[in-house]
């Protein structure tokens, strides 16, 4: 590891105490690491991500993220990847939970809603529609979830950028060509959202289910825990870090307090219909 580095190049508003720095080089491998996949490996307190053509990222002890870009890699590309898999590694290292979701706060609501689902389920389109209806942006893609002093779930503000498909951008009255591309091969554009000033209570996790049509199921017991576990960002990192017991304890505490429900979207409901169903369910829950 080189001794010198440049000043911080970016920051994570949901992790204000993390030191994020560009360095000249990072190692090919970590001593004693367990592979997560072909590009990621981890020890108990270090996680190395290798992105061919982009660079390498090293998350350490939940407090530091070092970035070594390859020749020709842009700052935008490095930032794009830093706040995904490496950020999830930092959150896991801290004993917290990174949810793979878009998180928003309803107008006048006291508790945020995290919207999850597989690629293509409509998360970004629904998030865009809700923003247009006065919901407030909390975080997108990786949502950091912690417990407060009384054991209640909190969702922390993320980088105030929403990755939208062009049709979702148009729903907000935005011309997609006026926004920067997330990555050219992915087709999404980046929309600047109004940032939150601090964490908010998290009350709901909503799964958009492409394999079901029309119904809304409120989950309980094992179904609630399993659904919540399936929406964790990069859960394989947990095993590689040897943090399974602490992770399961955190998941169990969250599942006991969150409303977790599943919305069938196999019939491809309109964004307006989805918004109405979600708003009605949140209002019914009284949170």
């Amino acid at each position: 590891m080189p001794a010198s580095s440049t000043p911080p190049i970016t920051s994570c508003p949901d992790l204000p105490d993390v030191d994020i720095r560009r360095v000249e080089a990072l190692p090919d491998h970590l001593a004693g690491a367990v592979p997560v996949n072909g590009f990621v490996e981890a020890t108990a307190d270090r996680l190395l991500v290798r992105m061919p053509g982009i660079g390498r990222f090293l998350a350490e002890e939940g407090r530091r993220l070092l970035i070594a870009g390859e020749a020709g890699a842009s700052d935008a590309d490095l930032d794009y990847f830093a706040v995904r898999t490496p950020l999830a590694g930092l959150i896991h290292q801290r004993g917290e939970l990174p949810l793979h979701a878009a998180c928003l706060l309803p107008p006048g609501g006291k508790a945020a809603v995290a919207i999850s689902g597989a690629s293509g389920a409509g998360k970004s389109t629904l998030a865009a529609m809700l923003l247009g209806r006065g919901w407030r942006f909390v975080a997108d893609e990786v949502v950091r979830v912690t417990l407060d002093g009384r054991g209640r779930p909190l969702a922390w503000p993320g980088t105030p950028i929403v990755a939208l498909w062009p049709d979702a951008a148009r729903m907000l009255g935005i011309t997609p060509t006026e926004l920067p591309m997330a990555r050219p091969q992915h087709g999404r554009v980046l929309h600047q959202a109004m940032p939150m000033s601090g964490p908010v209570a998290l009350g709901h996790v909503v799964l958009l289910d492409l394999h079901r049509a029309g119904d809304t199921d409120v989950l309980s017991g094992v179904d609630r825990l399993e659904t919540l576990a399936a929406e964790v960002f990069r859960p394989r990192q947990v095993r590689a870090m040897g943090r399974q017991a602490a992770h399961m304890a955190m998941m169990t505490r969250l599942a006991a307090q969150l409303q977790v429900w599943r919305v069938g979207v196999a019939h491809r409901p309109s964004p307006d219909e989805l918004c109405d169903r979600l708003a009605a369910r949140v209002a019914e829950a009284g949170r």
Side-chain angles (χ1 to χ4, degrees):
M1 182 69 57
S4 61
S5 63
T6 64
I9 61 168
T10 187
S11 63
C12 296
D14 51 352
L15 289 168
D17 57 339
V18 170
D19 179 26
I20 304 178
R21 292 188 174 271
R22 182 83 61 85
V23 296
E24 294 177 5
L26 287 169
D28 293 334
H29 297 283
L30 300 176
V34 175
V36 176
N37 55 40
F39 304 100
V40 183
E41 59 187 59
T43 66
D45 56 7
R46 304 179 84 202
L47 181 123
L48 177 67
V49 181
R50 300 180 297 271
M51 293 300 303
I54 303 297
R56 297 180 185 180
F57 307 81
L58 181 63
E60 297 183 308
E61 301 175 348
R63 293 286 181 268
R64 185 165 49 256
L65 176 57
L66 304 179
I67 303 169
E70 293 190 10
S74 69
D75 285 349
D77 273 343
L78 292 170
D79 285 353
Y80 179 88
F81 285 103
V83 296
R84 284 164 172 77
T85 298
L87 174 60
L90 285 168
I91 295 171
H92 281 306
Q93 288 168 355
R94 297 162 75 99
E96 302 165 349
L97 189 75
L99 272 182
H100 189 191
C103 188
L104 302 100
L105 183 68
K110 298 179 181 179
V113 179
I115 303 166
S116 64
S119 178
K123 295 189 298 295
S124 64
T125 300
L126 179 56
M129 181 67 76
L130 292 171
L131 287 170
R133 291 190 178 196
W135 289 51
R136 295 193 63 190
F137 174 85
V138 179
D140 189 30
E141 195 69 15
V142 179
V143 182
R144 177 190 172 210
V145 180
T146 67
L147 297 171
D148 68 11
R150 297 172 61 183
R152 297 171 300 188
L154 294 176
W156 289 75
T159 303
I161 298 291
V162 188
L164 299 173
W165 294 108
D167 59 345
R170 283 188 283 269
M171 287 181 186
L172 288 173
I174 300 168
T175 302
T177 54
E178 295 177 353
L179 297 177
M181 297 287 290
R183 300 204 72 226
Q185 61 269 47
H186 290 175
R188 293 193 292 177
V189 295
L190 299 177
H191 170 58
Q192 183 80 37
M194 184 70 67
M196 297 286 290
S197 60
V200 296
L202 179 64
H204 312 263
V205 175
V206 180
L207 171 64
L208 303 183
D209 192 340
L210 282 166
H211 302 291
R212 301 171 68 89
D215 50 356
T216 300
D217 296 335
V218 179
L219 304 179
S220 60
V222 173
D223 286 341
R224 179 165 54 191
L225 181 59
E226 289 181 347
T227 298
L228 188 59
E231 302 314 309
V232 173
F233 198 95
R234 304 294 187 258
R236 292 180 61 184
Q237 293 181 0
V238 175
R239 181 175 295 275
M241 293 176 183
R243 295 176 176 266
Q244 300 95 314
H247 178 72
M248 182 52 65
M250 174 74 163
M251 294 288 300
T252 302
R253 295 180 70 185
L254 287 171
Q257 300 185 68
L258 292 171
Q259 290 258 344
V260 180
W261 36 295
R262 181 170 49 203
V263 177
V265 294
H267 66 303
R268 295 296 182 179
S270 70
D272 275 319
E273 178 188 339
L274 266 182
C275 281
D276 290 343
R277 289 169 65 187
L278 190 149
R281 182 68 191 92
V282 170
E284 179 185 330
R287 294 189 178 189

